[in-house]
Amino acid sequence: MTAHLNLKPHDVTLQERADGTVLMRSNLPLGSVARRTGDWLDHWAAETPDAVFLAERQGQGWREVTYAQALTHVRAIASHLLERDLGPSCPIMILSGNGVDHGLLTLAAQYVGIPTIPVAEQYSLIPAAHPRLSHAAALARPGLVFAADATPYAAALALDDFAGIETLSAAPGDSGATDLADLLVPSGADITAAAAAVGPETLAKILLTSGSTSEPKGVLTTHGMLTTNQAQIAACLPFLSSRAPRIVDWLPWNHTFGGSYNFNLMLANGGSLYVDDGKPAPGLFDRTVENLGLMSGTISFNVPVGFAQLVRALEKDTALRDTYFADLDMIFYAGASLPQDTWAALERLAMEAGGKLPLITTSWGLTETAPGCLISHQPAKGAGIVGVPMPGIEVKLVPDADMRCDVRVRGASITGGYLDNPEKTADAFDEEGFFITGDAMRLVDPNDANRGLRFDGRLSEDFKLTSGTWVRAANLRLDVLSALAPFAQDVVIAGEGRDDVRAMILPNRAAIAAQGWEISETAGILRCAGLEAELAQRLTTLAGSAAGSAGRVCAAIVLAEPASIAEGEATAKGNLNFPRFLSRRAALVARLFAPESPDVIHILH
C-alpha cells in the first residue's frame, strides 16, 4: 500500500573480518552534496521564491516567511553579524525555543561562517536549572546571546555568565537588548567574501550532548556534516524530491533531531516547517492538536508517547483524522520503539481516512552523527528495526559471545570531536577512526543483512545481579514501558549488585486521572489501589514471557515526584540520567528492595 512512494529496497554489503568484526555498508549511490547550508537557501529562493519556508502561530493563523523573504532577512542579519567580533571561538548562544526568528538568525550566522550554540529553553526558564546554562556559557564563551522575547528570559540574561555580552531579541521590551528588527535593514557590510569562504569544514553549530551520563559536551558540527546527512537521507527516501515536504513539528532545535535532521530536511528539499508550539506534555498537547487541525503535513515526526496521545485524539475527531492523513507520506518515530498497538492504530486510521498507508519508520543516530546513520527505508511489519546504513556510512559491528554487537560508525557526517575537550575526543574513536557510539545492536536476520539492525540497548546501562547474570536494562525498560502504557511516563530499572530486578515507575498522571482512581502520596511514593492492581497484573504477564531472571521485574514502586531537570535527573530532552536518578533517590531504592515493604507492588511468578 506504500507503492505510491517509490521506496528503494535495502541494499547492503557485509564484510566479515578474521577477528570477528563485521563492516556494513549501503550500496546506494550518495548523490550530490551541497557545500554549505546557505546553498540550499540560495537555490530555493531562486526556484520557489513564494513557497513558505518557516511559519509559527500568530493569532488564529500563522506568521509565514517565504524562501525569498527568508533569504533577504538572512543576508541583512548576516551583514550586521559580520560587524561584530563573532566566529568559531565566539559563537552566538540561542536561549529560546523554536521560532521563525530563531531560524533566521541561525541561517544568517551559518551563511557567513559564524556558529550558533542553541541550548534547551528550560535551562533559562527554570531557575534551578541555571547551573546547566552557566556550564554551557563557560564552555562556548559566546559573543552574542539571543532570546526571542527578553521578558521571560530576564533572569537568565542577568546571570554573571552574560555580563558584558550583547543580547539580541525580537521583543526586547525595556531590557536594553538590541532589537532584531534593527538587523533586518542591511548594514552596508559586504557579505560576499564571507559567504564564499564557508565550506564543508566550516563550523555550523555546537550542539550539547544530552548530559544523561556526564556533563554535556559540545559537539562540533560542520556544514559538511549537515549537507552530507541530507544527501544520505534523500538517497534513501526519493519521494522527498517528488514534492516539497511539509511538517508541523515541535521537536526542539537545540536537539540534533529537531534542529539538524528536521529543520534541514525542509531547507534541503524546498519544504515548509510549521512550528508546533505544543508538545506531548500535560497542558500542551491540546495546542498540538489545534495546530495539526490547521495544517496537513506530508511527514509526521514524533516520539512514541506523542503518537500514542495522537492516536487517542484522532480516534475521537474524524475531521482531525482526515486533515492529518490528507497528504501524509511518512510517519517517523524516534527516541524509543513504537508500541505495536500504536503502530496498528496508525495504520488502521490511515486506511479509514484515505485508503493508503504512509511509510512508518525510524532512523538511528546521535548528536555526534549529524544525526542520521541508519534508516529503515522499506516498509516493515512492526517496530524495533532501526534499519541499514545510509550511503557513505561505514558501520562496524563488534560482536560478543551472544552476537550482541557494539556499534561504531565512520563517514563524512560524523563529528571530528568535542569543543575544547581533546581527552573526550580521543576516547570517542577507535584505532581505525570509527566513532564509538556505546549502543548495542543485533542483525534482525544473520543470514540476510538487508533485514537491517535491531537496537539492543546502551552498553553503559547494563549491570549484573549477584548471580553474575547480566541485565540488559535498556531493553527491559522499553519492554516494561510498552507493557504499562499509558500509565507509565517512564521507568527506571534497578538491581545492580542485588538478587533480582525491580522497577521505579514515573506515572502518567493524566492517564491515571482519566480512570477516576483515588490516589495519595506518602514520602515520595504514589499509592493508588486501582493503579497498583493494574500494574501488578501487567507486570505478571510480562514476567511470564521472560526467559530468565534478568528479564523479569519482581517488584515495583510508583514515584510521586517527577524526574528533575534542575537536579540532573533528567535532560532537557526528557532523557533520564539513570545513575544520578538512582543516587538521588537512594532512600526510595532501599525501600524498593526492603523485605516485606508495604509500599512495593510485588509481582507473582
Side-chain angles (χ1 to χ4, degrees):
M1 297 297 293
T2 56
H4 63 291
L5 297 177
N6 297 316
L7 297 171
K8 292 187 177 182
H10 295 171
D11 182 9
V12 300
T13 297
L14 288 186
Q15 176 189 343
E16 298 187 37
R17 292 174 164 180
D19 63 358
T21 62
V22 176
L23 296 183
M24 192 175 187
R25 303 182 182 90
S26 172
N27 295 319
L28 296 180
L30 177 59
S32 61
V33 178
R35 286 188 67 252
R36 62 187 188 108
T37 62
D39 287 352
W40 293 326
L41 184 58
D42 288 340
H43 173 81
W44 294 113
E47 292 291 317
T48 57
D50 297 326
V52 173
F53 168 38
L54 289 174
E56 64 186 6
R57 285 299 301 273
Q58 186 174 66
Q60 297 302 307
W62 301 92
R63 171 196 175 190
E64 296 177 325
V65 176
T66 67
Y67 275 93
Q69 291 169 336
L71 180 60
T72 298
H73 293 328
V74 161
R75 290 179 62 87
I77 295 169
S79 70
H80 289 274
L81 297 181
L82 280 181
E83 295 182 333
R84 291 157 167 83
D85 188 20
L86 302 170
S89 60
C90 196
I92 300 170
M93 178 170 280
I94 299 176
L95 306 188
S96 48
N98 304 4
V100 168
D101 297 316
H102 179 157
L104 294 175
L105 177 62
T106 295
L107 288 177
Q110 291 179 7
Y111 204 85
V112 290
I114 299 168
T116 58
I117 175 167
V119 297
E121 58 184 337
Q122 295 93 326
Y123 291 174
S124 297
L125 299 177
I126 301 174
H130 284 173
R132 287 273 174 143
L133 181 60
S134 295
H135 171 81
L139 180 68
R141 302 182 299 277
L144 181 68
V145 179
F146 173 77
D149 185 342
T151 301
Y153 291 85
L157 293 169
L159 294 174
D160 290 344
D161 306 275
F162 302 125
I165 299 176
E166 181 185 5
T167 297
L168 181 67
S169 179
D174 58 0
S175 67
T178 301
D179 194 333
L180 180 65
D182 295 340
L183 276 60
L184 298 181
V185 178
S187 70
D190 187 357
I191 67 172
T192 305
V198 177
E201 301 304 317
T202 305
L203 188 62
K205 61 171 74 171
I206 302 162
L207 288 173
L208 296 178
T209 57
S210 65
S212 58
T213 57
S214 63
E215 285 288 350
K217 301 181 289 291
V219 178
L220 300 173
T221 305
T222 65
H223 283 255
M225 290 170 60
L226 299 175
T227 57
T228 298
N229 200 217
Q230 289 303 318
Q232 292 166 333
I233 297 167
C236 297
L237 303 173
F239 65 84
L240 290 170
S241 61
S242 64
R243 65 168 173 171
R246 182 172 61 251
I247 59 176
V248 182
D249 193 49
W250 66 270
L251 291 162
W253 293 350
N254 64 284
H255 178 215
T256 184
F257 187 32
S260 294
Y261 199 108
N262 295 0
F263 186 95
N264 288 329
L265 190 70
M266 297 304 103
L267 180 60
N269 294 284
S272 303
L273 197 165
Y274 284 77
V275 175
D276 173 16
D277 53 351
K279 64 174 64 175
L284 294 173
F285 186 67
D286 287 347
R287 184 66 166 183
T288 288
V289 170
E290 180 182 330
N291 292 332
L292 291 174
L294 290 173
M295 182 60 60
S296 297
T298 64
I299 302 172
S300 179
F301 291 102
N302 218 320
V303 294
V305 67
F307 280 121
Q309 293 182 45
L310 180 59
V311 161
R312 293 193 288 273
L314 295 172
E315 288 177 330
K316 292 188 295 185
D317 188 337
T318 56
L320 175 66
R321 182 200 65 184
D322 292 343
T323 300
Y324 176 74
F325 286 107
D327 297 318
L328 200 61
D329 291 329
M330 182 168 68
I331 291 173
F332 193 112
Y333 65 93
S337 185
L338 188 69
Q340 191 58 37
D341 60 343
T342 304
W343 180 299
L346 287 166
E347 288 191 333
R348 172 177 53 79
L349 290 164
M351 295 302 293
E352 291 173 359
K356 65 179 183 180
L357 291 178
L359 173 67
I360 303 180
T361 191
T362 189
S363 181
W364 170 86
L366 306 168
T367 307
E368 291 89 344
T369 65
C373 270
L374 304 176
I375 189 170
S376 182
H377 55 83
Q378 64 184 27
K381 295 181 179 179
I385 299 173
V386 294
V388 296
M390 293 182 180
I393 293 289
E394 289 183 283
V395 175
K396 182 179 180 180
L397 305 173
V398 184
D400 61 16
D402 194 33
M403 297 308 294
R404 185 176 188 243
C405 298
D406 173 5
V407 179
R408 306 177 183 190
V409 293
R410 184 169 66 182
S413 54
I414 313 301
T415 187
Y418 301 110
L419 176 65
D420 293 338
N421 202 330
E423 182 178 347
K424 290 291 186 182
T425 297
D427 291 343
F429 297 89
D430 70 11
E431 66 282 355
E432 294 183 290
F434 283 88
F435 179 75
I436 303 169
T437 70
D439 281 354
M441 294 191 191
R442 295 179 187 272
L443 286 165
V444 172
D445 182 350
N447 298 314
D448 184 3
N450 285 315
R451 294 284 304 280
L453 290 162
R454 185 184 301 278
F455 183 73
D456 202 31
R458 287 287 294 172
L459 297 170
S460 62
E461 294 176 21
D462 294 351
F463 61 81
K464 278 186 178 182
L465 300 174
T466 53
S467 63
T469 303
W470 278 104
V471 176
R472 310 302 189 195
N475 288 348
L476 181 57
R477 171 177 164 270
L478 293 179
D479 290 342
V480 173
L481 271 173
S482 180
L484 302 186
F487 301 115
Q489 191 77 38
D490 213 327
V491 172
V492 177
I493 302 298
E496 184 171 8
R498 297 184 182 268
D499 296 336
D500 56 40
V501 180
R502 305 194 177 195
M504 307 177 79
I505 299 168
L506 291 161
N508 181 341
R509 289 180 178 260
I512 297 168
Q515 299 296 316
W517 289 325
E518 184 177 344
I519 66 172
S520 62
E521 298 178 14
T522 305
I525 294 179
L526 185 147
R527 301 305 306 270
C528 173
L531 175 66
E532 290 168 16
E534 181 70 21
L535 298 181
Q537 186 274 323
R538 294 190 186 197
L539 289 173
T540 297
T541 300
L542 181 64
S545 64
S549 60
R552 184 182 301 126
V553 173
C554 293
I557 55 174
V558 182
L559 304 178
E561 180 192 353
S564 169
I565 293 176
E567 295 291 341
E569 291 183 327
T571 71
K573 293 187 297 185
N575 299 332
L576 294 183
N577 181 331
F578 297 106
R580 174 61 179 159
F581 189 98
L582 292 168
S583 172
R584 182 170 178 261
R585 307 196 187 210
L588 289 172
V589 174
R591 290 167 68 182
L592 174 61
F593 284 92
E596 308 300 328
S597 173
D599 302 316
V600 172
I601 304 168
H602 292 281
I603 313 305
L604 300 176
H605 301 306

